[in-house]
Amino acid sequence: MPDKRDAPKTSDSGFHPKKLSDEDQARVDKFLHTGVNDVERKPFRPWLLLAVIVGVLTLLSLLSLMIARTKGVV
């Protein structure tokens, strides 16, 4: 039976083993907080997405119905 002392060391969060040295982790943290990757975005609007999906589905259904009528299927 494996002993808990043989388990890999974990970081402060307790979930993953530590992969970076303290110096490298400090450099990564500094870069992430510089704002280089910070992008201003509009808020997500789920109702607009739903309306677009329903609109596209309706248009495709009407197109399909029109094609079927011109070919004599309906």
Side-chain angles (χ1 to χ4, degrees):
M1 181 181 246
D3 192 2
K4 288 185 179 181
R5 290 177 280 172
D6 295 334
K9 294 185 179 188
T10 58
S11 63
D12 293 336
S13 64
F15 293 110
H16 301 289
K18 193 173 184 179
K19 295 181 180 179
L20 296 176
S21 67
D22 290 336
E23 179 183 332
D24 288 338
Q25 186 62 52
R27 290 171 55 201
V28 169
D29 291 339
K30 180 182 175 187
F31 176 77
L32 291 178
H33 288 95
T34 58
V36 171
N37 298 323
D38 210 12
V39 177
E40 289 292 325
R41 294 192 175 122
K42 293 180 181 179
F44 178 66
R45 299 190 306 185
W47 291 111
L48 178 62
L49 177 62
L50 181 63
V52 169
I53 291 172
V54 168
V56 168
L57 182 62
T58 302
L59 287 174
L60 290 174
S61 297
L62 291 174
L63 178 65
S64 173
L65 187 59
M66 185 182 74
I67 292 171
R69 283 189 178 162
T70 60
K71 301 299 179 184
V73 176
V74 176

